[in-house]
Amino acid sequence: MSEETLNQLDAQLDANTTESIPIPSPTAPAEPLSMGAVLKIGTMRRLWYAQIVSVFGDFLALYAVITIMTFRLHANPQQVTGLNIAYLLPIAVLGIISGVFVDRWPLKLTLVGSDFTRAALCLLLFFVHSIWGFYAVMSAISIFSSFFSPAQGVAIRSAVPFHGLRSANALMQQVMFIMRIIGGPIAVAVVRIFGPNTCYGLDAASFVASGSLIASLLLTIPRNPLVAAPETTPAAQASAIGRILTDMKVGASFILHHAALLFVIVALAAGMFVLGCFGPLIAVYVRDTLRASSTVFAINSAAIGIGLLAGVNLLNIFAKRIANTTQVYLGLGGMALGTALLAAAPLAAVSLPLIHTNLPVVVTVFGCFLIGFSCAGIIVPSQTLIQEETPAELMGRVGSTTMSAVFGSQILGLLLSGILADHTSVRSVFAICTGILAILIIAGKLWMEPDHPTAA
């Protein structure tokens, strides 16, 4: 048999073999875990319990302090706003560097130490009877919160598989939103019946309970060697400050060179800036623009919280297959539409006077709900994408930088809202927020669009 004939037979055999053996398809992505499935993970379940008790205690103490400052110390609006800034500022400032230590320190010791230290600081509230004293204690508590929050993010990322991170983040945010809705009324009732010291004691006890739950975990997080900076000078190696600056540079460089992360962090900051502007002005808007009662203000405030809660739960169920970045775009668009509705609501009474006399109020309530719902569409997918895309050895730094951007934006919104409203109007501030969100959507599409969007 000739060589040519053998070659033909080999080619025919190869062709028949290829046709008879099915080519394996690429591995399908794992089905996203539900909230119930995530809570079956022991570590996650205890972290969730710890979140419930500590956040509940936090809101009790915070609203109790606000109640005492307002009705006993007769604080003015600027002083009450100052309390919020005193609580947010340490996290915004220290968040830039706290992640460096979170990436270096033992994880369980960081979490438990932060909880027990905050419990001790809460006891100082028993002896505070001045506005500046409340500022000092709340700022001190916030300092240790700046280490706890990124460490908690590392723990969740390590305990939950990637296809369960969305539900895990939704569970944690759900606790925050529920406590935001019910914390105020409960705190006011407790202060009225039992006095503020009861709230302070419950807050301290909640931190002890949270720390004890976390201490009971077998929380051993493998630490990869810290990523070295591309260029490390001998001077930087010679001092602790130099090493901290080097680690900060590594975290910042990673964020700046990762288009998807940069976009979602900026989106989170923009969303919190809008909420920071929106929060202090909604009461004035209801009073002066809508000329409505305090009941309408309460309804609008509740609509934001209900929107946040509904957004977390509904998006987690029905948006599992939508890419995280796409959800963030939709969330930004929804918030822009909500602020635009608030800016335009008074026009409804002028253009449609015969439909319903309370139409501006209805439009406002829907706008508030839409802002809350859309904000949830930014927060959960952003946190999920950050956890999915960030290497384990950089989780602390990226998480703390995100936290710093979020809280810094809230402070900026609180500070600028009054200034902008004084020089323009409340409606103009809402219109400016709409413009900022629209610009961010366009900028994200032009310059921060990832090459390969990460699926949900």
Side-chain angles (χ1 to χ4, degrees):
M1 186 178 294
S2 66
E3 182 177 351
E4 182 178 354
T5 304
L6 288 173
N7 290 336
Q8 290 176 351
L9 289 174
D10 289 338
Q12 184 66 35
L13 181 61
D14 291 341
N16 293 337
T17 304
T18 303
E19 292 174 359
S20 61
I21 298 177
I23 299 175
S25 61
T27 304
E31 180 69 22
L33 296 178
S34 65
M35 291 184 184
V38 167
L39 284 177
K40 291 181 180 179
I41 302 171
T43 300
M44 178 62 205
R45 185 168 59 252
R46 294 199 182 189
L47 288 172
W48 186 62
Y49 290 155
Q51 176 87 341
I52 291 174
V53 294
S54 65
V55 170
F56 178 68
D58 269 351
F59 276 103
L60 277 183
L62 181 61
Y63 282 113
V65 169
I66 291 175
T67 302
I68 295 302
M69 285 180 56
T70 303
F71 296 102
R72 294 190 185 178
L73 301 180
H74 305 288
N76 58 41
Q78 288 78 15
Q79 290 171 324
V80 175
T81 301
L83 179 70
N84 290 326
I85 294 175
Y87 187 71
L88 297 174
L89 188 60
I91 300 178
V93 175
L94 292 177
I96 301 173
I97 62 172
S98 61
V100 173
F101 298 97
V102 170
D103 284 332
R104 290 178 175 271
W105 291 344
L107 188 64
K108 184 192 287 188
L109 182 62
T110 303
L111 291 167
V112 175
S114 296
D115 269 342
F116 287 169
T117 305
R118 289 186 291 177
L121 290 172
C122 285
L123 298 177
L124 295 177
L125 292 172
F126 285 97
F127 310 101
V128 174
H129 304 287
S130 68
I131 291 174
W132 285 102
F134 284 126
Y135 286 177
V137 174
M138 298 307 288
S139 295
I141 293 172
S142 180
I143 289 172
F144 291 92
S145 296
S146 69
F147 293 90
F148 181 89
S149 295
Q152 184 188 60
V154 176
I156 293 172
R157 148 79 182 264
S158 303
V160 179
F162 274 20
H163 58 289
L165 286 175
R166 179 189 292 274
S167 291
N169 290 316
L171 280 166
M172 291 301 195
Q173 291 302 321
Q174 188 183 66
V175 172
M176 291 290 296
F177 299 152
I178 291 175
M179 295 307 171
R180 183 181 296 274
I181 295 172
I182 69 173
I186 293 176
V188 171
V190 172
V191 170
R192 184 179 300 161
I193 298 172
F194 302 104
N197 287 347
T198 301
C199 290
Y200 306 152
L202 288 173
D203 193 17
S206 73
F207 282 125
V208 172
S210 172
S212 301
L213 280 168
I214 296 172
S216 67
L217 293 173
L218 296 174
L219 202 59
T220 55
I221 308 300
R223 293 297 193 185
N224 296 336
L226 289 173
V227 177
E231 296 180 3
T232 305
T233 62
Q237 295 176 342
S239 67
I241 294 178
R243 290 194 295 273
I244 291 173
L245 293 175
T246 299
D247 288 346
M248 289 171 59
K249 178 182 176 182
V250 173
S253 178
F254 176 76
I255 293 172
L256 291 174
H257 289 87
H258 195 299
L261 284 189
L262 180 62
F263 170 67
V264 298
I265 291 173
V266 173
L268 270 174
M272 294 304 106
F273 173 80
V274 169
L275 287 183
C277 287
F278 178 80
L281 296 180
I282 186 63
V284 179
Y285 174 83
V286 169
R287 183 192 67 191
D288 296 344
T289 304
L290 299 182
R291 302 192 181 280
S293 65
S294 58
T295 302
V296 175
F297 165 63
I299 293 172
N300 279 283
S301 299
I304 300 173
I306 294 170
L308 285 164
L309 192 59
V312 166
N313 288 279
L314 294 178
L315 291 173
N316 190 63
I317 296 172
F318 298 109
K320 292 180 178 180
R321 294 299 183 186
I322 301 176
N324 291 315
T325 48
T326 301
Q327 286 195 55
V328 173
Y329 278 124
L330 295 174
L332 290 171
M335 290 192 74
L337 178 58
T339 52
L341 287 174
L342 293 177
L347 300 177
V350 178
S351 59
L352 301 170
L354 300 179
I355 294 180
H356 202 293
T357 56
N358 290 329
L359 187 59
V361 173
V362 175
V363 172
T364 301
V365 172
F366 177 73
C368 290
F369 174 84
L370 184 59
I371 289 172
F373 188 92
S374 302
C375 186
I378 298 174
I379 294 173
V380 173
S382 295
Q383 290 179 330
T384 303
L385 190 143
I386 290 169
Q387 291 168 335
E388 290 175 346
E389 296 291 324
T390 304
E393 61 272 14
L394 293 176
M395 267 299 300
R397 277 166 280 183
V398 174
S400 65
T401 301
T402 304
M403 181 180 64
S404 179
V406 166
F407 282 87
S409 299
Q410 281 186 281
I411 294 173
L412 188 61
L414 287 169
L415 293 175
L416 288 181
S417 59
I419 298 174
L420 291 173
D422 288 339
H423 287 80
T424 57
S425 66
V426 175
R427 287 177 60 197
S428 297
V429 174
F430 294 154
I432 290 170
C433 290
T434 301
I436 291 173
L437 294 168
I439 291 171
L440 180 56
I441 293 172
I442 296 171
K445 280 293 183 182
L446 292 178
W447 296 297
M448 290 182 284
E449 185 76 13
D451 295 331
H452 302 286
T454 302

